[in-house]
Every structure is written in structure tokens, then in C-alpha cells.
Amino acid sequence: MTERTVNLATGRGAQTHSGAAARDLTHTLALLYPPSGANRDYPPVQLAFVGGVAETATTYGYDLLLTPCKSGKDPAFRRMVSERRVDGVIVMEVRREDDRIQHLTEAAFPFVAIGRNSGTDGVGWVDLDFAGLANGCVRHLAELGHRRIAFVNKSEQIVNSGYGYALLGNEGYTEAMQEMELTARAYPSGDNVGAGEDVVERILQDDPATTSLVVMNEAALEGIYRGLTRHGRSVPRDFSVVGVAASRWAEQVSPPLTAAEIPAKEMSRIGVDLMVERLTSPASSPRHVLLKPLITLRASTGPCRPVLDSEPELELELEAEFPDLDF
């Protein structure tokens, strides 16, 4: 069942497992969160989640153990589970096929997820409706008259690794394009300025008539804007950009990005709430929370202005309207 959560009214402070002896408790939660940066570091959006989980865990009297384990085969992960070094686990960067979730399920270890796949159906999870948001971004551009709409996703490594948000975003974009009988063109991009510039180069080489982008890679935004400027495309006068991005990213580019918010703090809070519910009421039905933030209109989208040099049909139409006259 999908519902929105509220703060728990009771149970603040250290919590205990039902039926567990006090000596078995660690009063610690683990956050399984592999870094997504190219240098195996945590970009700002990930740090926002870490901070949000730590802050909420503290209000319940829990310490937080951050571990970058991305595989159930990782020795540190195996030790943590087999030796019960924590009371519960919050799993992030969930992949379609994720052996961490499989191992936790087989070990009957308490866990919840920020993200989801088929393996999380029986546990609590909170996620963002990435497919719905990408679909909505396409439709916003289409309402402005855009028909050549490209999609900029996360890096090729993240997409190929099966990270849920990257796959769901691509699915939502593709579905919307197909429903409107438009040609879908999706591109992976690294999480840095240079990668953003490069992806614009590829997009405009493939189709110089492209007039808009849906962006699911906030770290590439600055480079995307630079690439468009280099190609003489002014945002939003003759090129529109919309995306899914935390407000700090959306508002630091110029013009500010029209975007659906990534509510890291709210998702972190809900994730910890669900974890505490799992520990205090293990027999209760798990809750699934799917967040659908609205798209905030800023200044990066506008009516479509086709690229004259790349629109044969438009050129023919103009020639018919203003024929050459012989005197």
C-alpha cells in the first residue's frame, strides 16, 4: 500500500527488538550506501541523505554506522550481519538485482530500503517516483511545443549496474515519448562539468534540431548549460531544460532550473521512521511510501523555437509564405 508517513508520536529514545535481551542491543543502525562519485566519493546529494539519516537516528537514540558496501559478498557486510553488530540496516542505492537485499532477507535481519526493487516488497521502503517525474518533465516540455526532447541520465556505469532510479527515470521518459509518438534519445553522463559539456556535444551531433532536455543528473547541470552556451543555444529563449534535482542544484545554475525536488531530508526521515517501526513492531505490515513532488517552475523552460537551419519542413513553410518575387 502506498501512503505518506507522519512522525511517530511515541517511541523516542533508544528502541529494543521485540523479545530481544537488552544485552543483545547495539543501539546502532547501519546505512548501506556506496558512494556514486567517479572517485568513490560522496557527492553533495548523497551527503544530504547521510546527514538526514544520522540526524533522525539520533532523535531515536541510535548511533549510525555508515558502510559503503555495495555487495552482499563484501566481508565487512557479512561480518556486520552474521555478528549482529547493528540492530537494523537501511539500504540505499538499491539495484534491480541486489544481493545485499537477498542476503538480509535470507538472514532474517531487520532492514528497510530507501529505494525499491522486487526484493523489498515484504519490507518497508520509501522512494521517489522517478518514472512518474521523468514522464511529467517530458509532458511539460511537450505542452510548450517541444518535440525533439533528449534525456540525460546518470553515468553509464550506474545505468549498466541496474540502479533503480536510473532505470526508472529512463522508463518514464521513454514511455512518455512513445505515447506522444516522439523519438526517444537517452544519453548517460558522468557526474561532473566536463561530462555535461560532452553529453550536449553528442546530443546536438545526433540531432541538431534538439530543442530541449530532461536531466536526471544534477551534477552535470553546470556542464550542460556551458555546452549549450558554446553551441549558441540560449536557455530558455531557444532551448529548454527541465529535470529532477535538489533545489540547491536547481537554483545555483543560471537561469534556475525548472525541476522536481529530490527531498533528501524527508526521505531520510521516513527511512529511519520505517526502520524503527520494523524494530518495535516486527509483526506489523510493512509500509511503502512513494513520494511524488511537484515540478517547480523556474526560468529554464519556455516555448519551443525550432532551429531554422535544422528544420526542413519549417524552411519550406517559410519559403511558401514568403516566395521569391521576380521584378
Side-chain angles (χ1 to χ4, degrees):
M1 178 176 67
T2 298
E3 57 183 69
R4 290 187 66 86
T5 190
V6 295
N7 283 322
L8 298 180
T10 61
R12 296 293 183 183
Q15 304 296 318
T16 62
H17 295 267
S18 176
R23 59 182 173 80
D24 293 331
L25 297 178
T26 67
H27 303 294
T28 302
L29 301 177
L31 178 63
L32 296 187
Y33 201 9
S36 65
N39 299 317
R40 289 197 54 77
D41 54 0
Y42 289 97
V45 67
Q46 285 195 312
L47 291 176
F49 277 102
V50 173
V53 170
E55 180 182 351
T56 307
T58 299
T59 67
Y60 283 108
Y62 280 100
D63 296 328
L64 183 68
L65 172 65
L66 173 63
T67 173
C69 298
K70 63 179 181 180
S71 170
K73 298 177 182 178
D74 190 298
F77 173 80
R78 294 279 185 168
R79 287 194 301 272
M80 180 187 69
V81 174
S82 63
E83 298 174 13
R84 299 274 165 169
R85 294 186 175 185
V86 298
D87 296 338
V89 174
I90 299 172
V91 184
M92 292 195 66
E93 300 290 11
V94 177
R95 302 184 301 277
R96 284 282 173 88
E97 301 294 332
D98 200 315
D99 63 347
R100 298 173 302 168
I101 288 173
Q102 179 182 352
H103 187 73
L104 289 167
T105 301
E106 292 172 351
F109 201 95
F111 78 97
V112 298
I114 299 180
R116 69 194 191 278
N117 66 12
S118 59
T120 60
D121 290 346
V123 300
W125 56 256
V126 55
D127 201 5
L128 202 60
D129 184 13
F130 288 100
L133 293 176
N135 190 302
C137 287
V138 171
R139 295 185 181 281
H140 170 63
L141 292 170
E143 288 173 358
L144 293 171
H146 294 277
R147 293 296 179 267
R148 311 294 256 280
I149 306 169
F151 178 66
V152 177
N153 206 340
K154 290 289 189 176
S155 70
E156 188 171 8
Q157 178 185 0
I158 287 178
V159 173
N160 291 341
S161 295
Y163 282 88
Y165 53 82
L167 301 183
L168 288 168
N170 183 69
E171 289 169 6
Y173 161 78
T174 302
E175 179 181 356
M177 295 293 283
Q178 290 176 343
E179 289 175 351
M180 291 184 287
E181 298 183 347
L182 302 176
T183 301
R185 293 186 297 116
Y187 297 81
S189 173
D191 299 334
N192 55 67
V193 173
E197 292 183 87
D198 290 343
V199 77
V200 169
E201 186 75 27
R202 298 199 306 272
I203 289 169
L204 295 181
Q205 281 182 351
D206 290 347
D207 184 4
T210 303
T211 63
S212 58
L213 296 177
V214 175
V215 180
M216 283 270 293
N217 189 331
E218 53 195 2
L221 271 175
E222 183 180 348
I224 288 171
Y225 272 52
R226 287 187 185 183
L228 290 171
T229 299
R230 187 199 307 158
H231 282 272
R233 309 297 175 92
S234 176
V235 178
R237 186 191 66 197
D238 49 23
F239 203 100
S240 289
V241 185
V242 63
V244 179
S247 58
R248 67 175 300 274
W249 290 92
E251 293 171 357
Q252 76 178 10
V253 293
S254 181
L257 181 74
T258 291
E261 171 74 6
I262 297 179
K265 190 169 185 178
E266 182 179 8
M267 293 177 71
S268 300
R269 176 185 61 78
I270 295 171
V272 177
D273 286 350
L274 294 175
M275 185 74 259
V276 173
E277 289 179 12
R278 173 73 176 84
L279 296 174
T280 57
S281 304
S284 61
S285 299
R287 291 195 296 129
H288 299 159
V289 184
L290 188 63
L291 301 179
K292 303 179 180 182
L294 298 175
I295 294 176
T296 300
L297 298 178
R298 295 189 178 92
S300 66
T301 54
C304 178
R305 294 181 59 181
V307 182
L308 296 182
D309 292 342
S310 304
E311 292 283 3
E313 293 181 2
L314 181 60
E315 290 176 358
L316 290 174
E317 180 180 327
L318 291 174
E319 290 174 4
E321 186 175 351
F322 300 102
D324 293 331
L325 300 177
D326 294 327
F327 294 96

